[in-house]
Amino acid sequence: EAEVAQSPRYKITEKSQAVAFWCDPISGHATLYWYRQILGQGPELLVQFQDESVVDDSQLPKDRFSAERLKGVDSTLKIQPAELGDSAMYLCASSVKQGAAEAFFGQGTRLTVV
Amino acid sequence: AQSVAQPEDQVNVAEGNPLTVKCTYSVSGNPYLFWYVQYPNRGLQFLLKYITGDNLVKGSYGFEAEFNKSQTSFHLKKPSALVSDSALYFCAVRDTRNFNKFYFGSGTKLNVKP
């Protein structure tokens, strides 16, 4: 069964350092999402791609976060510099473009900033 | 704005008893509604979805959900709970007018006791 791959699974970093997360969506899925999930809360959208284009990054803290999906396949989310409040689970998901389709999630990257 | 609400932070049920996890939605067009389950330190797993048609939809692991347009609800149900159903459950709605964004509820922790 096809899966969304994310790495690393866990990351501990010191504040003010840079950190990056990688996601490989299910093959053929044009839409890719990065979500942030704070413990005990629901996922919140950070950025959404349609192929290689960003279609929504309104909730992305652009002073420190960046995301790219250069060839419209895999994607990288970067934080620089990391802050204590960035500690959370970062989830990548993908879906086909059609509106009724569900999103498939990766296992997530648990980030701890110390 | 599109949104879903999960009014219960936690639901407790005895094994073998029926369970219900509540969700209400607010959308401007036709709702595409989803339920996901999340186990500790894992990504979200898709359970079921409502697009159109029969108001009772069946999904994975014996779960089902009932769409009620007049009450704008999409409650998750299972006739007989298992201890292994204990997890975090998220309701979501897809906004097909706005780049196919997903909006998630805050989650409901289901505790099934032996």
Side-chain angles (χ1 to χ4, degrees):
Chain A
E1 183 177 310
E3 294 183 343
V4 176
Q6 285 189 251
S7 66
R9 286 291 311 279
Y10 303 93
K11 180 70 178 179
I12 300 174
T13 191
E14 294 182 346
K15 63 179 181 180
S16 79
Q17 295 299 304
V19 63
F21 314 128
W22 177 79
C23 172
D24 191 12
I26 293 173
S27 178
H29 281 194
T31 307
L32 185 147
Y33 310 84
W34 281 103
Y35 285 89
R36 178 169 59 186
Q37 185 182 22
I38 296 170
L39 193 64
Q41 298 182 19
E44 295 180 312
L45 182 69
L46 290 174
V47 61
Q48 179 178 339
F49 290 91
Q50 190 65 37
D51 299 308
E52 68 277 7
S53 300
V54 173
V55 295
D56 187 351
D57 62 357
S58 57
Q59 301 303 310
L60 189 71
K62 298 181 188 63
D63 57 334
R64 298 185 299 108
F65 286 65
S66 64
E68 60 183 17
R69 192 184 184 198
L70 294 176
K71 297 182 179 179
V73 181
D74 60 335
S75 175
T76 302
L77 178 70
K78 297 179 181 178
I79 309 174
Q80 183 174 16
E83 296 181 353
L84 295 177
D86 296 332
S87 295
M89 175 80 89
Y90 291 82
L91 296 166
C92 179
S94 69
S95 74
V96 297
K97 187 177 179 181
Q98 287 82 352
E102 62 269 30
F104 294 84
F105 284 79
Q107 301 238 45
T109 297
R110 169 71 67 188
L111 173 66
T112 302
V113 182
V114 297
Chain B
Q2 327 300 326
S3 65
V4 291
Q6 295 181 243
E8 303 157 316
D9 289 337
Q10 186 167 297
V11 169
N12 298 312
V13 64
E15 188 175 30
N17 283 0
L19 69 88
T20 299
V21 182
K22 296 180 180 178
C23 171
T24 58
Y25 66 88
S26 174
V27 298
S28 54
N30 292 325
Y32 293 154
L33 295 158
F34 305 80
W35 274 103
Y36 286 83
V37 60
Q38 186 178 34
Y39 296 97
N41 287 315
R42 303 292 294 273
L44 278 66
Q45 297 178 33
F46 169 73
L47 280 179
L48 52 80
K49 66 181 176 182
Y50 172 82
I51 304 171
T52 186
D54 194 348
N55 289 342
L56 185 66
V57 294
K58 296 186 182 298
S60 306
Y61 313 120
F63 283 93
E64 56 191 27
E66 185 171 12
F67 173 70
N68 187 316
K69 188 173 183 178
S70 62
Q71 297 185 3
T72 62
S73 67
F74 188 56
H75 300 333
L76 182 70
K77 300 181 180 184
K78 188 173 183 180
S80 178
L82 300 173
V83 172
S84 58
D85 292 330
S86 299
L88 198 53
Y89 290 82
F90 291 97
C91 180
V93 63
R94 189 163 190 177
D95 182 358
T96 57
R97 296 187 180 186
N98 186 15
F99 306 118
N100 295 317
K101 289 176 67 171
F102 283 87
Y103 296 88
F104 286 85
S106 55
T108 299
K109 189 171 188 301
L110 175 66
N111 296 311
V112 181
K113 298 182 179 180

